[in-house]
Amino acid sequence: MTAYDTRTGALRWRYSRVGHRAVDVLTTRAEVIALWEDGLLTDTDGRSVRWHRALPDAAEWLPAQGGTGVLRPLGRGMLAAVTPHRVTAYRIADGDLRWVLPASDGCAFRPEAAVRRGAALLVAQPCAQGPWTEQLVALDDLGRIVPGRTPLGNDLPRRSPRHRSNART
């Protein structure tokens, strides 16, 4: 991966993994998130790799699939990685895994068939049997969109205030 200055065209930074290639790249504000053909996700700010995560079972299907549609922004600083077996959501700020949605039995998600509709990401989940309503999943930064769900707190943890010393001055 290479980044160039938009005004001058000068090289700003370069990042690579020897023997590997990026199959999908997502750019956010000052960061680049890359999905590599071996299933590793990396987030770099141009100075260093801020975090990395490995997608389970990616080596089975990713090289042939090519990474199309795997990385999906979910809003509010969240990233979804859509694979045939599961959808995983990560907080972009630190790579923290926030939730996992496994595919239903006898079904598989199709990353390339996901589309945005407003705040929702609609992901196809074709199944051998079952009604069509079970073959489309709506997601957002909080997970699967269903009535009565309990929202997750996806913000960064707040730092507790420093304890003041009880010493008298």
Side-chain angles (χ1 to χ4, degrees), residues 67-89:
T68 304
V70 175
L71 300 181
R72 299 291 184 149
L74 289 174
R76 293 187 45 183
M78 297 290 291
L79 167 74
V82 182
T83 69
H85 302 292
R86 68 190 57 81
V87 178
T88 52

Side-chain angles (χ1 to χ4, degrees), residues 105-118:
D105 289 339
C107 307
F109 292 116
R110 293 198 39 223
E112 73 282 2
V115 296
R116 292 281 305 180
R117 180 70 177 148

Side-chain angles (χ1 to χ4, degrees), residues 16-25 34-42 53-68 70-71:
S16 64
R17 293 179 58 225
V18 176
H20 298 283
R21 66 181 179 85
V23 294
D24 197 7
V25 175
L35 172 63
W36 301 85
E37 94 288 343
D38 62 353
L40 188 69
L41 284 174
T42 58
R53 299 290 177 264
L55 296 181
D57 306 324
E60 296 174 10
W61 61 273
L62 192 55
Q65 196 268 353
T68 304
V70 175
L71 300 181

